[in-house]
């Protein structure tokens, strides 16, 4: 079962959390060619975090999956950065 855990220091309203969880689930399922019903996504918002010595918007993503293709982490990281920039205003260089 693929698991994507995303932590961010951004506050995310509950309505936006649901949208983001659905979008990230679809992203992982598509990029890993796995059925959506096997994908788990955990979102932890409002986490005290610093990156490069500042508390500007930042996030960290962690992916675990059996049989992960070699090229999957790079592809998924790029797409994750796009989604988090669009949805949470986290700059790609802060992920």
């Amino acid at each position: 079962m693929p698991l994507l855990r995303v932590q961010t220091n951004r506050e995310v309203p509950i309505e936006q959390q649901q949208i983001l969880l659905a979008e990230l689930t679809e992203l992982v399922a598509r990029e890993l060619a796995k059925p959506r019903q096997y994908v788990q996504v955990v979102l932890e918002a409002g986490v005290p975090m610093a990156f490069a010595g500042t508390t500007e918007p930042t996030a960290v993503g962690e992916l675990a999956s059996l049989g992960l293709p070699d090229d999957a982490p790079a592809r998924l990281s790029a797409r994750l950065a796009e989604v988090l920039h669009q949805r949470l205003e986290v700059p790609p260089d802060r992920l």
Side-chain angles (χ1 to χ4, degrees), residues 58-73:
T58 189
V60 63
E62 195 176 359
L63 176 67
S65 181
L66 295 175
L68 193 63
D70 291 340
D71 62 339

Side-chain angles (χ1 to χ4, degrees), residues 60-92:
V60 63
E62 195 176 359
L63 176 67
S65 181
L66 295 175
L68 193 63
D70 291 340
D71 62 339
R75 281 194 336 262
L76 197 54
S77 292
R79 288 289 299 126
L80 180 60
E82 290 174 19
V83 170
L84 295 181
H85 186 240
Q86 179 184 31
R87 296 282 182 201
L88 302 181
E89 299 178 356
V90 173

Side-chain angles (χ1 to χ4, degrees), residues 5 18 21-22 29 41 46 49 51 60-61 71 78-79 87 90 95:
R5 179 182 309 274
Q18 299 303 316
L21 287 168
V41 178
M49 296 174 74
F51 179 70
V60 63
D71 62 339
R79 288 289 299 126
R87 296 282 182 201
V90 173
L95 176 65

